[in-house]
């Protein structure tokens, strides 16, 4: 496989070229690397089962670890998830776009295969203008951290290219990401929300928003 096309985003014209190239690659069923507000991610069309399988293969990951789905607008969650509890909507209103991933009950009508999801989908809206620009054109993307399993997540395009440059078609280079810490993952499939992975948002921040509603999250990380 040829080495990825790496495209800068320093100017408006460069950014447009990079976003367009990444969009076309996704539409062809190829993998791309994009920046997010937390780490660089490797992305595939969430509705292309072959592309999602290629993503898992590229990372050295099995179907038992399905990738989360990134969206460009908070309203998209209702197209992907069902039975979203009120406290989950409060978290979305407060922390999206941002480093919060919500594990929701999947809409049963969705025609996709993200892996062994057990009827759930993990959804996030990233707070990064380049990522959002790509997502606005491609629709929901399956996105996992741009690293080989067991290696540190890529915080810049150099690290992503070193690990995954031969597996992806396009690398969108927006410089080093400022977050560097993975998103916090919260299970919102039940009446009681549970933190599945600690990350950029801590439990106190999340609960400060929920306590006025008379509920809090438990921490099972």
């Amino acid at each position: 496989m040829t080495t990825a096309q790496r495209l800068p985003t320093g100017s408006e014209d460069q950014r447009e070229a990079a976003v367009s190239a990444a969009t076309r690659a996704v539409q062809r069923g190829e993998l791309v690397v994009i920046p997010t507000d937390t780490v660089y991610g490797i992305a595939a069309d969430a509705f292309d089962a072959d592309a999602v399988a290629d993503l898992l293969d590229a990372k050295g990951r099995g179907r038992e670890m399905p990738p989360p789905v990134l969206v460009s607008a908070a309203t998209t969650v209702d197209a992907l998830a069902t039975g979203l509890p009120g406290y989950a909507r409060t978290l979305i209103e407060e922390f999206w776009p941002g480093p919060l991933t919500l594990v929701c009950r999947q809409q049963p009508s969705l025609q996709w295969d993200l892996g062994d999801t057990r009827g759930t989908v993990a959804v996030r809206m990233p707070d990064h203008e380049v990522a959002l620009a790509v997502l606005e054109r491609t629709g929901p993307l399956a996105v996992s951290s741009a690293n080989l399993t067991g290696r540190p997540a890529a915080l810049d395009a150099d690290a992503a290219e070193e690990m995954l440059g031969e597996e992806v078609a396009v690398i969108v280079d927006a410089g080093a990401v400022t977050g560097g810490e993975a998103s916090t993952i919260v299970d919102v499939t039940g009446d009681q929300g549970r933190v599945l992975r600690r990350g950029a948002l801590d439990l106190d921040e999340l609960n400060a928003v929920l306590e006025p509603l008379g509920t809090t999250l438990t921490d099972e990380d």
Side-chain angles (χ1 to χ4, degrees):
M1 185 176 290
T2 57
T3 302
Q5 180 184 17
R6 180 166 163 176
L7 297 169
T9 58
S11 70
E12 196 169 319
D13 287 346
Q14 288 176 333
R15 184 178 121 167
E16 171 59 29
V19 169
S20 295
T23 300
R24 290 193 300 271
V26 167
Q27 292 168 343
R28 291 193 299 265
E30 296 174 321
L31 304 178
V32 300
V33 165
I34 60 172
T36 78
D37 49 334
T38 55
V39 299
Y40 270 73
I42 179 173
D45 180 348
F47 293 94
D48 184 331
D50 290 338
V52 173
D54 289 343
L55 184 158
L56 294 175
D57 286 345
K59 283 181 59 77
R61 177 177 283 190
R63 286 177 54 82
E64 73 282 357
M65 298 183 72
V69 174
L70 298 192
V71 297
S72 64
T75 51
T76 306
V77 71
D78 289 309
L80 305 180
T82 185
L84 206 63
Y87 71 86
R89 295 193 184 278
T90 298
L91 291 173
I92 288 172
E93 289 168 10
E94 183 68 24
F95 296 110
W96 279 14
L100 176 66
T101 299
L102 299 182
V103 177
C104 314
R105 295 190 187 280
Q106 178 186 300
Q107 283 282 7
S109 60
L110 287 175
Q111 299 296 311
W112 65 9
D113 182 6
L114 298 173
D116 298 333
T117 63
R118 298 181 177 84
T120 65
V121 58
V123 188
R124 185 168 90 86
M125 180 183 176
D127 189 12
H128 194 289
E129 61 180 10
V130 174
L132 292 172
V134 174
L135 288 161
E136 284 167 4
R137 300 190 192 185
T138 60
L141 292 176
V143 182
S144 185
S145 55
N147 59 286
L148 299 173
T149 297
R151 302 256 319 258
L155 303 183
D156 57 33
D158 286 341
E161 184 172 27
E162 186 266 318
M163 288 185 277
L164 296 169
E166 294 185 357
E167 305 295 335
V168 304
V170 173
I171 296 173
V172 178
D173 184 355
V177 296
T178 56
E181 190 171 8
S183 66
T184 300
I185 301 178
V186 176
D187 180 344
V188 297
T189 59
D191 294 334
Q192 171 74 66
R194 300 178 301 137
V195 174
L196 301 181
R197 181 183 74 187
R198 298 176 191 173
L201 295 171
D202 65 34
L203 188 62
D204 289 342
E205 287 180 90
L206 299 170
N207 280 339
V209 173
L210 297 181
E211 282 166 359
L213 304 179
T215 186
T216 56
L217 303 175
T218 59
D219 188 354
E220 301 195 0
D221 187 24

